[in-house]
Amino acid sequence: MAARFPPGRLAEVAGYFLRLGITAFGGPAAHISMMHAEVVNRRKWLDNQRFLDLLGATNLIPGPNSTEMAIHLGFLRAGWAGLILGGLCFILPAVLVVTALAWAYVRFGSIPEIGSALYGIKPVIIAIIAKALWDLGRKAVKGPLTAAVGIAVLVLYFLGANEIVLLFAGGFAVLFAASIRRMGKGDVAGFFALFAGSGLPALGVVPFSLPVLFLVFLKIGAVLYGSGYVLLAFLRADFVVRLGWLTDRQLLDAVAIGQVTPGPVFTTATFIGYLLGGMPGALLATLGIFLPSFIFVAASFPFVQRLRGSATAGRFLDGVNVASLGLMAAVTWQLGRASFVDPQSVAIGLVSAVLLIRYEVNATWLVLGGAAAGLVHMLLQ
């Protein structure tokens, strides 16, 4: 392995992904575009087809796509050490920034200026999520079946169904649609019973525990497909509804912080971990949500070519993706009700939507503009 991957390659991987982690604003699609421009066009680490193969593999495993691409590319360039270092260097800058912002939030969150900035940021976040939902939906809804699965997931979520059950049920529904016309009641009951231990009913306020915090984020990192924004559905279901450790407002604040920082949106977990358990909570939450990505990439890398050509894997992924969008739509509606609290906040959201759709303004600038609008609103009151 040392002969195949000289030490210089490891330094190359670390340097590039550390720099990318500092500058990678704009979400997973932007991150992956930056990687393509650098490692395919400029550095020639691999060709377009191999890059597309790796991208397809990331879509077939749970977790944050841009982080998993960084892990894949690190592995391809510098072996096992590159796998670990590529992922860590991409994640680390965002973790440090989010931890600092979480400290400031806990320390100064009651200062009027902080609250006013978040007042303006929250409607922008809803507009950004809605735009991502629309863009992803046009790709994910490939016909009446996937459209029906997405709508069914949306309705069932509001009726109290478990989001993990809905995610995998969507995948299996599309996977077997061509050969299975109807599933017996006993089969349906048996499938849902597998997930009975993680049902949606609220448990009331559960005492905070670092091991539980770690395990919840480990579960989310191990099962979450789709856009990083789908993370909202899981966070709300676990931390707001089941455990009662967060409020909707705190969840929105966490998402806002994740948006204004570079790197993967999944570092929202770092913020929540710090908010609930200080530095140990931040570290455990970050480890829990990202650890499955390293494991899944290491396990799937040798099978990328076979996954690329698998019609079965593709059908399952179609169902999981559209189910993810159903969950994303449901939670966007719920959080939107907490964000649009007066005509001014509605106006901020509408202006953000227009700038996103008509002029394709970078999301980072919109978040900063929302913060400025919130501060102006405070001064005019």
Side-chain angles (χ1 to χ4, degrees):
M1 186 68 71
R4 289 185 58 197
F5 301 107
R9 288 197 176 190
L10 195 58
E12 190 180 19
V13 165
Y16 170 61
F17 284 110
L18 189 63
R19 176 168 62 83
L20 183 66
I22 295 170
T23 59
F25 289 93
H31 302 166
I32 290 170
S33 297
M34 293 176 191
M35 292 180 198
H36 178 268
E38 183 71 19
V39 304
V40 176
N41 296 337
R42 198 176 81 81
R43 300 192 182 216
K44 310 294 185 184
W45 287 2
L46 69 170
D47 60 20
N48 276 309
Q49 186 58 63
R50 190 69 186 277
F51 188 89
L52 287 173
D53 289 347
L54 295 179
L55 183 58
T58 66
N59 287 325
L60 291 171
I61 57 177
N65 286 356
S66 56
T67 302
E68 287 170 346
M69 277 299 290
I71 298 170
H72 266 303
L73 292 168
F75 194 12
L76 181 71
R77 188 64 178 168
W80 289 102
L83 177 148
I84 296 170
L85 204 57
L88 287 180
C89 287
F90 180 61
I91 295 165
L92 184 61
V95 170
L96 294 176
V97 173
V98 169
T99 301
L101 291 174
W103 173 85
Y105 179 88
V106 172
R107 180 73 173 81
F108 304 113
S110 60
I111 293 177
E113 288 79 3
I114 299 295
S116 297
L118 290 172
Y119 161 88
I121 289 173
K122 290 174 188 177
V124 176
I125 297 302
I126 298 301
I128 292 169
I129 297 171
K131 174 65 163 54
L133 181 62
W134 174 256
D135 290 341
L136 293 168
R138 289 189 298 173
K139 296 179 181 178
V141 178
K142 300 180 177 179
L145 175 62
T146 50
V149 169
I151 293 170
V153 168
L154 175 68
V155 172
L156 290 171
Y157 178 84
F158 280 120
L159 293 177
N162 178 268
E163 74 282 354
I164 299 177
V165 172
L166 293 175
L167 200 64
F168 283 95
F172 285 117
V174 174
L175 177 62
F176 294 115
S179 58
I180 299 178
R181 297 291 184 86
R182 185 175 61 185
M183 185 178 288
K185 292 182 180 179
D187 294 331
V188 173
F191 175 72
F192 275 80
L194 291 174
F195 296 89
S198 58
L200 188 62
L203 302 176
V205 178
V206 176
F208 175 74
S209 163
L210 284 173
V212 172
L213 177 76
F214 172 76
L215 290 174
V216 170
F217 276 115
L218 186 69
K219 177 200 73 174
I220 292 172
V223 301
L224 195 150
Y225 279 89
S227 164
Y229 296 118
V230 182
L231 178 66
L232 289 172
F234 286 80
L235 293 177
R236 189 176 188 278
D238 281 317
F239 291 104
V240 177
V241 177
R242 294 196 188 108
L243 298 172
W245 290 354
L246 293 176
T247 64
D248 276 333
R249 176 182 174 181
Q250 289 172 320
L251 178 58
L252 273 170
D253 292 347
V255 175
I257 294 296
Q259 276 293 314
V260 79
T261 54
V265 177
F266 275 46
T267 50
T268 299
T270 307
F271 183 91
I272 291 173
Y274 189 94
L275 190 63
L276 295 174
M279 188 59 71
L283 293 174
L284 285 173
T286 304
L287 176 63
I289 202 163
F290 284 109
L291 180 60
S293 293
F294 287 87
I295 296 172
F296 288 140
V297 168
S300 66
F301 191 89
F303 306 103
V304 168
Q305 290 291 346
R306 274 184 277 178
L307 287 172
R308 177 175 176 262
S310 171
T312 298
R315 284 193 293 268
F316 179 79
L317 184 62
D318 286 343
V320 169
N321 284 343
V322 80
S324 296
L325 293 179
L327 292 174
M328 185 173 162
V331 176
T332 302
W333 172 262
Q334 291 171 324
L335 296 180
R337 292 166 57 191
S339 300
F340 299 117
V341 295
D342 54 30
Q344 290 80 14
S345 58
V346 172
I348 293 171
L350 289 175
V351 170
S352 300
V354 170
L355 293 174
L356 274 171
I357 296 168
R358 178 67 179 84
Y359 300 103
E360 298 183 352
V361 175
N362 187 285
T364 302
W365 295 113
L366 290 177
V367 170
L368 295 174
L375 292 172
V376 169
H377 178 262
M378 180 194 71
L379 294 173
L380 294 177
Q381 284 184 323

